[in-house]
Amino acid sequence: MYEHNGEKYFVMDTHTHFWDASPENWVKGQEQYAEGWINCFHAYQGLGPAETHWPIEKFQKYSEEDFVKDMFEEGHVDVAVFQPTYLREWYVNGFNTTESDARMAEKYPDRLIVNGRFDPREGEAGLRQLDEDAERYGLKGVKLYTAEWRNGSRGWTLKDAEAIPFFDKCQELGIVNIHVHKGPTIWPLDKDAFDVSDVDRTATNYPELNFIVEHVGLPRIEDFCFMATQEPNVYAGLAVVIGGLMHARPRFFAKVMGELLFWVGEDKMLFGADYAIWEPKWQVEGLVDWDYPDDTFSDYPAATTVAKKKILGLNAAKLYGVEVPQELRLPDEAGTPAARDDAQLVEGTA
Amino acid sequence: MTIHSRVLEALGTVYDPELDEPITSLRFVTSCDVSAEGDVDVRLRLPTPQCAPNFAYLMAADARDAVRRLPEVRDVTVLLEDHYTGDEINAAVGRGAGFAQAFPGETEGELDALRELFRRKALVARQSRVCEALLAAGATPEEITARRVSDLPDEPESRRCIELREQLGIPGDGDAPAFVRPDGEPVAAADLRHWLRRASLMRTSLEVNGGICRSLLRIRYDLPDPKEVAA
């Protein structure tokens, strides 16, 4: 919970990690990829305020104490969702698995939610694993990383035929929150790996599932926004938007927030700090304090306290069925509706 | 003009196809050496080791082609450094092979469709800047959509729009409408504001992507921070 100027904010961080990228965990012969991956993340941390930067050794592997302090004691986070990224081709025990997340979550059952994952290229074995994980961890969500390398394949898309049984399974098991994270490779390599049209199609086919597009589809925000106006079950995951832009590129941040509020709407935007790339503290405090820098942004929807409360936690609490203390809820009234009607007016005209 | 500066000038015509900016202004050219005999050695770098291989290949291959077109150079070597598919890309570019040959079995075709897709995005984004400048100067939607290519100000943004139109096969002669949709159809006055809303989002997307790339490159290679490009 974060309190500022007499307002109380319930904070739900929908995108967090507990990873091990230390050299001991690098797969022999794949060191360049394992090291490149974590160095790349570390560079992203450089986009946050200087006083929040970590040395690479700590960044490769941080402790449970670091996590608890940065998230709960100082970071204002009430509840966080672990998003796994396995990368077993590069990391012996995986980079950040559901299993390792669950070990931590067991100790903080009211504060941490564990998401699973699946990879359609694993076929029947993958389906069985998803079944088992769902039962063991009580999954309500999965994180899909489409750029993961596997046995010579550099990725997949949600519209692959092999993915259908997995989405059917999610529906059957009540795994309703599908977090999609695009990366730089897919099969075939000549296509745009960041394209989100596969999410569009799948969201239409599975209206009971929620599709949270992580990093708001960056670097394809425009495709994401156009899609989100069409699909009621598509949400914007703000990880990287806040961490990567609010401090480093404040005017770009204002534009992106303005566009998201216009096209996607405040009811479908979800805070995510993307720890340990960025600590939540400065992001939560900065977002609560944030407003457009000047009146050249006056065409965009206002950044109200109600909008910030929804974005910081209330929207995600609904998706994950998290009970919000009475004093942190909004008064019983409909908030400002999303700009869906406005957005539809400009559909199909660019 | 020395060979070296002509080589640099040639590299300045190579665009990052995703960002629609020259690889020189993006600081993707690490070094460019020309020997006394006219052999050229160009080193490229990208913001992350995991930048998309397809765009990375295009920049390396385009750089090699651009330098090889200069009659005064002899051998040309272009090497993409610190990239996780650098070996595959460098080997293919070095022997003048296509993308499909760089990644056998991992592609369905060459990169023409990808390049075209991003040229259309770039055209939309750049037109939005030209259009907003005209609106800010007091022009009405009717005046703007009545403009011909020959009415556009002679500045880099407009010139790049014309170049992109040529590459896309969208007529860009003086009499052609100045503002077109990605499919080449003229924008109607009644649609201008709606068109601009989407076009501005496209532009924001490209600019933000470029901003993040610049920041990451600066951090990765510990470069001095240039003046921030205004949003």
Side-chain angles (χ1 to χ4, degrees), chain A residues 32-33 36-40 42-47 90 147 149 152-154 184-194 218-223 225-226 230 240 244-245 248-253 255-256 258-259 262-263 297 299-301 345-350, chain B residues 18 47-55 83-85 87-88 99 103 105-111 114 117-118 121 124 132 181-182 187 191 193-195 197-212 214-216 218-220 225 228-231:
Chain A
Q32 60 154 324
Y33 303 121
W37 173 270
I38 195 65
N39 284 352
C40 178
H42 193 239
Y44 271 91
Q45 186 177 67
L47 303 175
W90 301 342
W149 292 6
S153 152
R154 296 193 210 247
T185 51
I186 48 161
W187 194 93
L189 271 182
D190 47 302
K191 297 288 189 292
D192 179 20
F194 298 105
L218 267 169
R220 304 285 176 265
I221 310 174
E222 77 285 17
D223 295 341
C225 285
F226 299 151
Q230 308 269 333
V240 177
L245 294 174
R249 305 263 174 184
R251 292 189 71 83
F252 282 153
F253 176 69
K255 276 199 144 188
V256 171
E259 296 286 2
F262 177 78
W263 294 94
F297 294 83
D299 274 355
Y300 292 123
L345 283 176
V346 290
E347 267 310 296
T349 49
Chain B
E18 188 184 8
T48 78
Q50 280 130 356
C51 289
N54 42 24
F55 295 115
H83 189 266
Y84 73 165
T85 59
D87 291 347
E88 292 96 321
F99 184 68
F103 298 95
E106 297 193 63
T107 64
E108 280 186 336
E110 283 299 326
L111 298 174
L114 185 74
L117 175 69
F118 280 83
K121 287 177 187 267
V124 170
E132 275 180 16
R181 296 173 177 213
V187 178
D191 295 336
R193 290 216 173 264
H194 295 159
W195 169 82
R197 187 103 218 183
R198 278 178 76 112
S200 302
L201 172 60
M202 187 83 78
R203 186 187 85 198
T204 297
S205 180
L206 291 185
E207 286 177 353
V208 168
N209 194 9
I212 291 176
R214 283 190 161 85
S215 293
L216 291 176
R218 183 168 57 73
I219 293 164
R220 186 178 189 199
D225 192 8
E228 168 135 341
V229 180

